[in-house]
Short mmCIF file of all heavy atoms in Angstrom, two decimals:
data_model
loop_
_atom_site.label_atom_id
_atom_site.label_comp_id
_atom_site.label_asym_id
_atom_site.label_seq_id
_atom_site.Cartn_x
_atom_site.Cartn_y
_atom_site.Cartn_z
N GLY A 340 21.87 5.07 -11.07
CA GLY A 340 22.30 6.02 -10.03
C GLY A 340 21.68 5.79 -8.70
O GLY A 340 21.91 6.58 -7.79
N SER A 341 20.84 4.77 -8.56
CA SER A 341 20.21 4.54 -7.29
C SER A 341 21.07 3.68 -6.32
O SER A 341 20.70 3.42 -5.17
CB SER A 341 18.87 3.87 -7.48
OG SER A 341 19.01 2.62 -8.18
N LEU A 342 22.23 3.20 -6.80
CA LEU A 342 23.13 2.37 -5.96
C LEU A 342 24.54 2.78 -6.28
O LEU A 342 24.97 2.66 -7.43
CB LEU A 342 22.88 0.91 -6.25
CG LEU A 342 23.60 -0.12 -5.45
CD1 LEU A 342 23.19 -0.05 -3.95
CD2 LEU A 342 23.44 -1.51 -5.99
N SER A 343 25.25 3.16 -5.26
CA SER A 343 26.69 3.54 -5.51
C SER A 343 27.54 2.30 -5.67
O SER A 343 27.20 1.21 -5.28
CB SER A 343 27.19 4.33 -4.29
OG SER A 343 27.28 3.54 -3.12
N ALA A 344 28.73 2.50 -6.27
CA ALA A 344 29.66 1.40 -6.46
C ALA A 344 30.10 0.79 -5.10
O ALA A 344 30.22 -0.45 -5.02
CB ALA A 344 30.87 1.86 -7.22
N GLU A 345 30.25 1.63 -4.10
CA GLU A 345 30.65 1.16 -2.81
C GLU A 345 29.58 0.27 -2.18
O GLU A 345 29.83 -0.82 -1.61
CB GLU A 345 31.00 2.28 -1.86
CG GLU A 345 32.26 3.09 -2.26
CD GLU A 345 31.96 4.09 -3.40
OE1 GLU A 345 30.76 4.25 -3.75
OE2 GLU A 345 32.98 4.65 -3.91
N GLU A 346 28.31 0.77 -2.27
CA GLU A 346 27.22 -0.06 -1.67
C GLU A 346 27.01 -1.29 -2.44
O GLU A 346 26.68 -2.32 -1.84
CB GLU A 346 25.92 0.81 -1.70
CG GLU A 346 24.67 0.14 -1.14
CD GLU A 346 24.86 -0.39 0.28
OE1 GLU A 346 25.69 0.19 1.07
OE2 GLU A 346 24.15 -1.35 0.67
N ARG A 347 27.16 -1.29 -3.75
CA ARG A 347 27.04 -2.50 -4.54
C ARG A 347 28.10 -3.54 -4.12
O ARG A 347 27.77 -4.70 -3.93
CB ARG A 347 27.22 -2.21 -6.05
CG ARG A 347 27.10 -3.45 -6.92
CD ARG A 347 27.09 -3.02 -8.39
NE ARG A 347 27.03 -4.17 -9.26
CZ ARG A 347 28.11 -4.80 -9.76
NH1 ARG A 347 29.33 -4.37 -9.45
NH2 ARG A 347 27.96 -5.89 -10.52
N ALA A 348 29.31 -3.08 -3.89
CA ALA A 348 30.37 -3.97 -3.42
C ALA A 348 30.04 -4.55 -2.03
O ALA A 348 30.26 -5.70 -1.74
CB ALA A 348 31.70 -3.25 -3.42
N THR A 349 29.46 -3.69 -1.18
CA THR A 349 29.09 -4.13 0.17
C THR A 349 28.03 -5.23 0.12
O THR A 349 28.15 -6.21 0.81
CB THR A 349 28.63 -2.96 1.04
OG1 THR A 349 29.67 -1.98 1.13
CG2 THR A 349 28.20 -3.38 2.37
N ARG A 350 27.04 -5.00 -0.74
CA ARG A 350 25.98 -6.01 -0.85
C ARG A 350 26.53 -7.33 -1.40
O ARG A 350 26.14 -8.44 -0.96
CB ARG A 350 24.83 -5.47 -1.67
CG ARG A 350 24.12 -4.30 -1.04
CD ARG A 350 22.98 -3.82 -1.91
NE ARG A 350 22.42 -2.55 -1.33
CZ ARG A 350 21.34 -1.96 -1.84
NH1 ARG A 350 20.70 -2.44 -2.89
NH2 ARG A 350 20.94 -0.83 -1.28
N LEU A 351 27.37 -7.23 -2.39
CA LEU A 351 27.91 -8.47 -3.02
C LEU A 351 28.75 -9.25 -2.04
O LEU A 351 28.86 -10.43 -2.10
CB LEU A 351 28.70 -8.11 -4.27
CG LEU A 351 27.88 -7.70 -5.50
CD1 LEU A 351 28.79 -7.21 -6.62
CD2 LEU A 351 26.99 -8.86 -5.99
N SER A 352 29.41 -8.47 -1.11
CA SER A 352 30.26 -9.18 -0.09
C SER A 352 29.42 -9.96 0.86
O SER A 352 29.92 -10.89 1.52
CB SER A 352 31.09 -8.14 0.67
OG SER A 352 30.24 -7.36 1.58
N ARG A 353 28.05 -9.70 0.95
CA ARG A 353 27.19 -10.45 1.81
C ARG A 353 26.43 -11.52 1.08
O ARG A 353 25.47 -12.03 1.59
CB ARG A 353 26.24 -9.46 2.50
CG ARG A 353 26.88 -8.59 3.56
CD ARG A 353 25.88 -7.82 4.37
NE ARG A 353 25.60 -6.51 3.78
CZ ARG A 353 24.46 -6.20 3.17
NH1 ARG A 353 23.50 -7.07 3.00
NH2 ARG A 353 24.31 -4.97 2.69
N LEU A 354 26.82 -11.85 -0.14
CA LEU A 354 26.19 -12.85 -1.00
C LEU A 354 27.13 -14.00 -1.25
O LEU A 354 28.29 -13.81 -1.59
CB LEU A 354 25.77 -12.19 -2.30
CG LEU A 354 25.14 -13.13 -3.35
CD1 LEU A 354 23.81 -13.62 -2.92
CD2 LEU A 354 25.05 -12.37 -4.67
N ARG A 355 26.63 -15.21 -1.06
CA ARG A 355 27.41 -16.40 -1.44
C ARG A 355 26.42 -17.49 -1.90
O ARG A 355 25.23 -17.38 -1.76
CB ARG A 355 28.27 -16.94 -0.26
CG ARG A 355 27.50 -17.28 0.98
CD ARG A 355 28.45 -17.64 2.13
NE ARG A 355 27.81 -17.82 3.42
CZ ARG A 355 27.31 -18.98 3.80
NH1 ARG A 355 27.40 -20.08 3.06
NH2 ARG A 355 26.68 -19.08 4.97
N GLY A 356 26.97 -18.52 -2.55
CA GLY A 356 26.13 -19.51 -3.09
C GLY A 356 26.69 -20.94 -2.87
O GLY A 356 27.79 -21.11 -2.38
N GLY A 357 25.84 -21.95 -3.19
CA GLY A 357 26.21 -23.33 -3.02
C GLY A 357 25.22 -24.24 -3.65
O GLY A 357 24.08 -23.85 -3.99
N THR A 358 25.61 -25.53 -3.80
CA THR A 358 24.65 -26.47 -4.48
C THR A 358 24.32 -27.67 -3.57
O THR A 358 23.75 -28.61 -3.98
CB THR A 358 25.35 -27.02 -5.74
OG1 THR A 358 26.63 -27.57 -5.40
CG2 THR A 358 25.53 -25.96 -6.76
N THR A 359 24.65 -27.54 -2.28
CA THR A 359 24.32 -28.64 -1.37
C THR A 359 23.61 -28.02 -0.12
O THR A 359 23.72 -26.85 0.15
CB THR A 359 25.61 -29.36 -0.85
OG1 THR A 359 26.40 -28.44 -0.11
CG2 THR A 359 26.42 -29.88 -2.03
N PRO A 360 22.78 -28.86 0.54
CA PRO A 360 22.09 -28.38 1.72
C PRO A 360 23.07 -27.85 2.78
O PRO A 360 22.77 -26.92 3.51
CB PRO A 360 21.35 -29.63 2.24
CG PRO A 360 21.12 -30.43 1.06
CD PRO A 360 22.38 -30.23 0.17
N ALA A 361 24.31 -28.39 2.82
CA ALA A 361 25.29 -27.97 3.83
C ALA A 361 25.65 -26.47 3.62
O ALA A 361 26.06 -25.75 4.58
CB ALA A 361 26.54 -28.79 3.70
N SER A 362 25.50 -25.95 2.38
CA SER A 362 25.83 -24.55 2.11
C SER A 362 24.89 -23.64 2.87
O SER A 362 25.22 -22.43 3.02
CB SER A 362 25.81 -24.26 0.63
OG SER A 362 24.50 -24.50 0.09
N LEU A 363 23.71 -24.18 3.28
CA LEU A 363 22.76 -23.32 3.98
C LEU A 363 22.93 -23.35 5.53
O LEU A 363 22.13 -22.67 6.21
CB LEU A 363 21.32 -23.82 3.66
CG LEU A 363 20.96 -23.68 2.15
CD1 LEU A 363 19.67 -24.45 1.84
CD2 LEU A 363 20.81 -22.25 1.74
#
Side-chain angles (χ1 to χ4, degrees):
S341 58
L342 183 66
S343 68
E345 294 79 9
E346 178 58 25
R347 179 172 179 268
T349 298
R350 293 184 189 181
L351 286 173
S352 71
R353 288 189 269 106
L354 175 67
R355 58 187 173 89
T358 56
T359 65
S362 63
L363 298 168

